[in-house]
Amino acid sequence: MLILAEGRLGVFSSKTAVCLLRYRADEVVAVLDSTRAGASTAEVLSMDVERPIVGTVDEAMEHGPDTLVIGIAPRGGGLPADWRAVILAAIARGLDVVSGLHVLLGDDPELAARARERGVELVDLRRPPAHLRLPRERHEPHPGRRPLVLLTVGSDCNVGKMTAAVELVRAAERRGVRAALAASGQTGILVAGAGIAIDRVVADFMAGATEQLVEDQRNVDCVVVEGQGSLTHPAYSGVALAILHGARPDGLVICHHVGRTEIDGYGVPIPGPAALRAMYEQAAAWVQPLRTIGFALNGHGASRNAFEDYVARVERETGLSAVDPLTDSDRLIEAALTLAAVPRGGI
Amino acid sequence: MLILAEGRLGVFSSKTAVCLLRYRADEVVAVLDSTRAGASTAEVLSMDVERPIVGTVDEAMEHGPDTLVIGIAPRGGGLPADWRAVILAAIARGLDVVSGLHVLLGDDPELAARARERGVELVDLRRPPAHLRLPRERHEPHPGRRPLVLLTVGSDCNVGKMTAAVELVRAAERRGVRAALAASGQTGILVAGAGIAIDRVVADFMAGATEQLVEDQRNVDCVVVEGQGSLTHPAYSGVALAILHGARPDGLVICHHVGRTEIDGYGVPIPGPAALRAMYEQAAAWVQPLRTIGFALNGHGASRNAFEDYVARVERETGLSAVDPLTDSDRLIEAALTLAAVPRGGI
């Protein structure tokens, strides 16, 4: 993969690029950002995966990509004019193009025609499934035994809900529990290889699509649903609530970026740990009660002291654990498994 | 208008038919429901508007319709096969067709081709506007002076949020206040003549579309936004929250159908008046606090005693008024106007 992150390569500004470098590094050959060309990913992103940063599709070709992945999303999801030129260049070079934009590339007449001529594929991660439905009513039969369902929710967008979900699945698997990621956004879908972008479905079908996403995970004992947005987010609170009610989780993991005090762009104050927990538990209980398992903290840019202070605050206010999911998800899974009699390997 | 309500004509089973007969009676010539053909609307719906009920489009033609309005919605919003035959018959007879279904008639190749041949129009009330956006961020300029914004919310679907909103606009106008209905669903759009079906937009844009809907109401001092669903509804809670946060109302009117104790089809218990109020006020305050004005009660099918008992319970638990919006919306508007210095006619 060649990842497009034009003008935006950074830990918080190009989430897809960072997650692909973290979870599918073997498949990434280069990153395209002309403003950083010549630098390396290790340097720009302070991570230990080293890949070249190039300025054009042509330059990237020496690294042998077969796919261009659009690793950034403009606010509102449109297709900026200069990206179109990059996509056309990639198609001309015979690359498939994978996109998580709201604007579906496959529905764009020019891009679709060029892709057809060149015999390459346009993959729209946010394209909703052809058949969506409402959640099952009380009288409708449910499919067999339900796995333990966990959901990652957040204090804002872009705080680490997807990363926490991936790490919880890995931690469960390390304990011998058959687990799956139910990916609800474009980056999660790239990491999991499947999923439904809940923010892209017709509004009436959000909860039903989330139920469907959970039920699509077969032959596992634990499903971790990637949450979206936040109940306090003026633009995306509705998506967050629909996923909370549609997933009907047994347990929640609350994700927060240490040091963030208000919703990015909107200035709405982010509640403290006890209030965040109460908010999510109350909102869930409007339909079905659940328990909070713990907090997953993103410490990027925060001092060690600030991180430890927030961990102590969570423990003091809620009695729950707060961990960095990249290193300590095992503690959260341990707590989650006490919620249900989930079969564990070797026991 | 000829209203299609096949097999479903009733107060709760064909909301659009009832509302058009209540608010646009002069334009309704007949109702199509073959299971009730020969009966009259006054009889079936216990209302004083008398229109013939016919069994086919052909029979309806003697009453001179120029438009077929689809006045019922199948669960999930699809197009049942037998309705297609009715729509084709209407097109063949030269009628325009107005639809609030999720399935957009204009995008159906067969229907679109027939309509084009016959020179009639297919109007999809739920078709989203071409340009949707997110809510304005803090740094983005807002348009001029903001009117008083009221929102009707509910304890379930189909309890009277749209009717309450229409009646609140009328009550405001009776007091000389320039008021407008911001219609968020297909029936409201039919009554108001404009609006955005928020449940039909791409999920990410629900709150932005609601903000846009409020801002589209020009030269008025009071905007009443029609709410959708309920925060306790397993399928539609996300739409309800997005409208609550996107409209940023000053005041809420909570709508309830007296005697209903659980969410239709899902069995989720409906909270009592104080808990409903607390739920909506808390959820609003995650983004911006507001005040509850009062309750609008739908008494259909309830005894006079049951209605009065619920009114007394609202007053005891919340100190607020509960009224039948069809007869007593003036009391709610009176309370709402104390929220803001809204210019009143003649004072």
Side-chain angles (χ1 to χ4, degrees):
Chain A
M1 303 177 193
L2 167 65
I3 305 176
L4 175 64
E6 182 60 26
R8 304 265 286 280
L9 192 62
V11 176
F12 284 103
S13 51
S14 56
K15 177 165 110 167
T16 302
V18 171
C19 286
L20 288 175
L21 286 167
R22 182 176 289 139
Y23 296 117
R24 293 180 68 177
D26 292 352
E27 301 163 64
V28 178
V29 299
V31 174
L32 197 164
D33 180 351
S34 63
T35 66
R36 301 281 198 163
S40 84
T41 53
E43 191 175 295
V44 174
L45 302 173
S46 357
M47 63 195 299
D48 50 16
V49 181
E50 179 63 272
R51 294 289 181 280
I53 303 177
V54 298
T56 66
V57 172
D58 284 355
E59 276 174 55
M61 293 314 291
E62 69 175 281
H63 304 289
D66 58 18
T67 303
L68 174 74
V69 175
I70 300 183
I72 38 179
R75 187 162 177 269
L79 179 63
D82 47 334
W83 298 10
R84 176 178 292 270
V86 173
I87 294 169
L88 287 169
I91 293 172
R93 287 295 205 148
L95 305 188
D96 293 334
V97 182
V98 174
S99 161
L101 302 178
H102 268 295
V103 170
L104 303 178
L105 302 187
D107 295 351
D108 181 292
E110 182 187 17
L111 298 179
R114 295 292 177 86
R116 215 169 23 243
E117 286 158 26
R118 194 62 177 75
V120 301
E121 216 181 331
L122 301 179
V123 178
D124 284 297
L125 301 172
R126 263 178 165 157
R127 185 180 293 282
H131 298 287
L132 290 170
R133 57 170 174 78
L134 297 178
R136 295 172 201 279
E137 291 194 1
R138 192 166 41 172
H139 67 275
E140 292 173 289
H142 276 65
R145 192 181 64 78
R146 189 175 160 84
L148 177 73
V149 178
L150 306 178
L151 169 66
T152 59
V153 296
S155 62
D156 193 0
C157 292
N158 209 7
V159 295
K161 293 178 288 290
M162 197 274 288
T163 301
V166 173
E167 295 294 342
L168 286 165
V169 169
R170 295 181 157 202
E173 287 172 340
R174 281 195 295 273
R175 291 188 57 81
V177 173
R178 296 179 307 167
L181 172 67
S184 64
Q186 67 272 27
T187 306
I189 296 171
L190 268 175
V191 172
I196 302 175
I198 301 297
D199 61 8
R200 183 62 177 72
V201 306
V202 163
D204 253 0
F205 298 109
M206 295 183 291
T210 304
E211 184 184 80
Q212 188 173 327
L213 177 63
V214 172
E215 292 177 0
D216 283 348
Q217 314 306 317
R218 311 272 182 192
N219 302 315
V220 291
D221 297 308
C222 175
V223 172
V224 185
V225 182
E226 171 200 9
Q228 293 293 329
S230 169
L231 291 181
T232 63
H233 197 294
Y236 306 123
S237 57
V239 176
L241 186 63
I243 292 176
L244 183 65
H245 286 167
R248 293 185 180 250
D250 303 289
L252 282 190
V253 171
I254 301 177
C255 303
H256 177 60
H257 175 211
V258 174
R260 204 179 301 189
T261 57
E262 49 183 50
I263 299 290
D264 192 27
Y266 289 94
V268 173
I270 292 177
L276 273 176
R277 178 195 191 175
M279 176 178 78
Y280 275 105
E281 291 187 357
Q282 282 169 11
W286 298 338
V287 168
Q288 184 174 295
L290 51 63
R291 285 174 55 188
T292 302
I293 306 300
F295 284 65
L297 302 182
N298 179 338
H300 191 84
S303 68
R304 193 73 218 161
N305 271 351
F307 190 91
E308 293 305 336
D309 282 353
Y310 199 88
V311 169
R313 187 176 169 199
V314 169
E315 286 175 2
R316 193 172 62 240
E317 286 191 14
T318 69
L320 297 171
S321 296
V323 306
D324 179 341
L326 292 173
T327 54
D328 286 321
S329 287
D330 300 85
R331 284 172 61 199
L332 294 178
I333 276 295
E334 191 58 39
L337 293 178
T338 65
L339 283 187
V342 172
R344 304 190 196 182
I347 298 182
Chain B
M1 302 177 195
L2 166 65
I3 305 176
L4 175 65
E6 182 61 25
R8 304 266 286 280
L9 193 62
V11 175
F12 285 104
S13 52
S14 56
K15 177 166 110 168
T16 302
V18 171
C19 287
L20 288 175
L21 287 165
R22 182 176 288 140
Y23 296 117
R24 293 179 68 176
D26 292 353
E27 300 162 64
V28 178
V29 299
V31 175
L32 195 165
D33 179 351
S34 63
T35 66
R36 303 281 199 161
S40 84
T41 52
E43 191 175 296
V44 174
L45 302 173
S46 354
M47 63 196 299
D48 50 16
V49 181
E50 179 64 272
R51 294 288 181 282
I53 302 177
V54 299
T56 65
V57 172
D58 284 355
E59 275 175 55
M61 293 313 293
E62 68 174 279
H63 304 289
D66 59 20
T67 303
L68 174 73
V69 175
I70 301 183
I72 38 178
R75 186 162 176 272
L79 178 63
D82 48 333
W83 297 11
R84 175 178 292 271
V86 174
I87 294 168
L88 288 169
I91 293 172
R93 288 296 204 147
L95 305 189
D96 293 333
V97 182
V98 174
S99 161
L101 301 179
H102 267 295
V103 170
L104 303 178
L105 301 187
D107 295 349
D108 182 291
E110 182 186 18
L111 298 178
R114 294 293 178 85
R116 215 168 24 241
E117 286 157 26
R118 195 62 177 76
V120 300
E121 215 181 332
L122 301 178
V123 178
D124 284 296
L125 300 172
R126 262 179 165 156
R127 186 180 294 280
H131 299 287
L132 290 169
R133 57 169 174 80
L134 297 178
R136 295 172 201 278
E137 291 194 1
R138 192 167 40 171
H139 66 276
E140 293 174 289
H142 276 65
R145 193 180 64 79
R146 188 175 161 84
L148 178 73
V149 177
L150 306 178
L151 169 66
T152 60
V153 296
S155 62
D156 193 359
C157 292
N158 210 6
V159 294
K161 293 178 288 290
M162 197 273 290
T163 300
V166 174
E167 295 294 343
L168 286 166
V169 169
R170 295 181 158 203
E173 287 170 340
R174 281 195 296 273
R175 292 189 56 82
V177 174
R178 297 178 307 167
L181 172 66
S184 65
Q186 68 273 28
T187 307
I189 296 171
L190 268 173
V191 172
I196 302 175
I198 300 297
D199 61 7
R200 182 62 176 74
V201 305
V202 163
D204 253 0
F205 298 109
M206 295 184 291
T210 304
E211 183 184 81
Q212 188 173 329
L213 178 63
V214 171
E215 292 177 0
D216 283 349
Q217 314 305 317
R218 313 269 182 194
N219 303 317
V220 291
D221 297 307
C222 175
V223 172
V224 185
V225 182
E226 171 199 10
Q228 294 292 329
S230 169
L231 290 181
T232 63
H233 197 293
Y236 306 124
S237 57
V239 177
L241 186 62
I243 293 176
L244 182 64
H245 287 167
R248 294 185 179 247
D250 302 290
L252 281 190
V253 171
I254 300 176
C255 304
H256 177 60
H257 176 211
V258 174
R260 203 178 303 189
T261 58
E262 49 183 49
I263 299 289
D264 192 27
Y266 288 93
V268 174
I270 291 177
L276 273 177
R277 178 196 191 175
M279 175 177 79
Y280 275 106
E281 291 187 356
Q282 281 168 10
W286 298 338
V287 167
Q288 184 174 296
L290 51 63
R291 285 174 54 188
T292 302
I293 306 301
F295 283 66
L297 302 181
N298 179 338
H300 191 85
S303 69
R304 192 73 217 159
N305 271 351
F307 190 91
E308 293 305 336
D309 284 352
Y310 198 88
V311 169
R313 187 176 170 200
V314 169
E315 286 174 2
R316 192 172 64 242
E317 287 190 14
T318 69
L320 297 171
S321 296
V323 306
D324 179 342
L326 291 173
T327 55
D328 286 322
S329 287
D330 300 87
R331 285 172 59 199
L332 293 178
I333 277 294
E334 190 60 38
L337 294 179
T338 65
L339 283 187
V342 172
R344 305 189 196 183
I347 297 182

